[in-house]
Amino acid sequence: MDTIPLIPATSNLVKRNLASSESSESKKAESSSAARLLVLQNMVPLATNLVSSQLEAFSTRLADQLFKLSDQAVRPEEAKVSYDAHQLLKRNSTAFYRLVAGQINAALSKEVSVFNTRRRLKKDEQYLDKTAQTYEEMEGKILLRNASHALEVLNAESLVMLNTLIGRILNRMPIDVTQNPFRPEIFVKAVHQAWMELDDNPASHLVVLRLLQPTVFLQLSPILDEINQELMARGIRPDSDDGFDTSAGGVAYLPVQKFFSLDPYLQDKLKRVFSGQIELAHTDPNYDFSGLAAVSDTLTNQLDLDADEDRADKASIDQQFFEDLREMQKRFAQEEHANAPFESRLHKVLHASSAQKLSVVERNTIELLARIFDYIFADQSLGKDIKSMMAQLQIPIVRVALSDRDFFFRESHPARTLLDILGSSGIVLDHDASALDPLLGVIGDVVERVQTEFDAQIDLFSDVVSDLELYLKEEDCKAQAAISQPVQTALTEEKMRVSRELAEHDVAIRVETGEVAGFLEVFLEEQWIRILTIAHSVKDEKPHALENALKTMDDLIWSLKPKNSPDERKALIAKLPAMLTLLNAWLNAIRWDEPDRVLFFSKLAERHAAMARAPLELSPRRQLEIAVNIAQRASNRRLDRFVNEKAVQANDEATKQVADLERGMWLDFSDELEQITRFKLAWISPKRSSFIFANRQGDQAFSIAAADLEDKYRAGTASTILANSLVDRALTYALRDLAI
């Protein structure tokens, strides 16, 4: 049936239809931010305890430096201040310990509680702001900056790891050191504050601050490393899929993201757009998308414009223009209610009277976003419901991009991540029944929250992305639980398949020597392989079973080789009873009771009897004939094996496509009636010999062998959906007609 564009009212209808289930999911979503915050709050007492263990050594180093300074100072007043501070610290070391520990605990607790909503300051504003009125205050800020920077350099490796882990927790990859609540600046400020409480003499405050250098200060590396270890022990990993890992493609439900090398050509285009060197031409709302299918997917997730310290995201926009944007947002929402055709409304934004005051860079920002949304609305892989959701985000995204141009340069930007997730969701939603899909209700709530709550805090996008990804991850966990039985079955089948391959190898290396009699060769390849397969499958539990089966096979092969001496014949007669007993026991285990078993043992008995009656010494001619026959059979066997291996190794495009598959990818399968069904690759066996595909909920699943899947690729009845970043594709297309 036709899809129904989902506007906020429709979203409420879906929620009413699914009230019980969505109520539970909503509560989980509401608590997700608090849960993430709690993880970091638990690191505060750990850091405080680690600091406390260093306070005695730190106090000693600081006191020594104060005494050394008092002895070396040129100015008498500085020498006196340093000596008095030295004496004060010696007399009140315990009080200093208490003050430092208390200040650090309070500072870290405050940072953790507020940094999730704090806007990032300009690079140096945190040190040099307009509140500094005196020379001493300004010098104090410079000393703080220098001490913090020196510690950052010394502990760079640990800080980078912690930045990554915190980014995993908060879905805000990558964060920088200014956003890290455990950054060196916090420790330096806390220690300095503790000293100011200990000594009320202002003259000593700058003296002590100058001494807070890496050689004197607390050793932050073991503290940061311990926090990193604790976070990783809780399942948070810098480069894997864990409970908090929501980097691109991290949610297994979503199509896996493909990353490409940076395209310098596109990088130069963006640099020109945001340097103000050129002004993008205003496009017609009926943007030409005839070449949509041929869009390149080469724009990627990073553009390094660090050389430009004052990025365009620091632009100051006229407040009247933002007020006009709010009014436009309301009007555009009414147009969505009227089921207007999907087209970017952002072309109209530049016609507002207040837009005339915008700079070239700001106008370029809006025009580029208009082109991006034009592309999105023309994308045939997205249904009407998802397009309706994304249409309601146009004005909020404009406001984000005007205040933070990282939207264009950083793939992990939260607002950009939201658009990419919506684009990925649009690909995997069933367009014929999407209006009843709970996921669409959750997306509707997210969009509605952005519309109603977004003002200037970009971190709101981080929160809604976290809540949406939490829902998707929970949905994926349910789907994985639903396919647990097929997975166990597939694991058992693969174990037997691998055991069979090992058994075939065990037989092949013996047969290809050319020393195995013809009837015995058939027996080993048809019956003994079955026995070895069982032995290999239970090798971990019963290792002696495999040893026993291999030894019995080797003894059987040896028993049929020519015996040229009396001692060899005596050994054969001695071994036969035990060997035949084991042979029969193994054949009983596989229940080989066919008449062929009787025939096999008859031939075996004849050969053994013939050996017993053979002349004691074989003539040289006969020995040569036997050797030539063995060599010929061995040569033929090796040639057959070489040809078979070459056939197996023959790779084609289908083989490569199957080899490139990863869990989380989505594939289209077509049947005899050419009806296409979309399934997610939910599981890959350890040996990649079988794959399990399922729908999003996991209630429809099937297993397929790698060879059969390759055949489907060759026949064109299976194809991979390459879901690259929607914004990347749209941005690439939007810049297509811009010449460098």
Side-chain angles (χ1 to χ4, degrees), residues 392-405:
Q392 299 172 52
L393 293 174
Q394 290 179 89
I395 297 301
I397 294 295
V398 166
R399 294 167 61 193
V400 168
L402 286 173
S403 60
D404 184 4
R405 297 277 152 63

Side-chain angles (χ1 to χ4, degrees), residues 648-690:
V648 170
Q649 292 172 1
N651 291 330
D652 57 9
E653 184 61 27
T655 305
K656 183 178 183 301
Q657 287 176 311
V658 172
D660 290 340
L661 290 177
E662 299 175 15
R663 179 180 174 269
M665 283 184 170
W666 286 79
L667 275 70
D668 278 342
F669 292 90
S670 57
D671 56 20
E672 297 81 1
L673 301 177
E674 297 186 354
Q675 293 183 334
I676 297 178
T677 310
R678 191 160 288 175
F679 287 96
K680 178 189 69 175
L681 178 50
W683 180 82
I684 304 174
S685 66
K687 300 292 184 180
R688 295 188 68 89
S689 65
S690 63

Side-chain angles (χ1 to χ4, degrees), residues 264-275:
Y265 185 71
L266 292 173
Q267 178 182 356
D268 288 342
K269 283 186 175 183
L270 278 175
K271 284 183 177 180
R272 291 192 65 196
V273 168
F274 290 106
S275 66

Side-chain angles (χ1 to χ4, degrees), residues 17-33:
N17 291 337
L18 301 159
S20 59
S21 62
E22 291 200 4
S23 174
S24 174
E25 300 298 339
S26 177
K27 290 179 180 178
K28 292 179 181 178
E30 289 174 2
S31 64
S32 61
S33 296

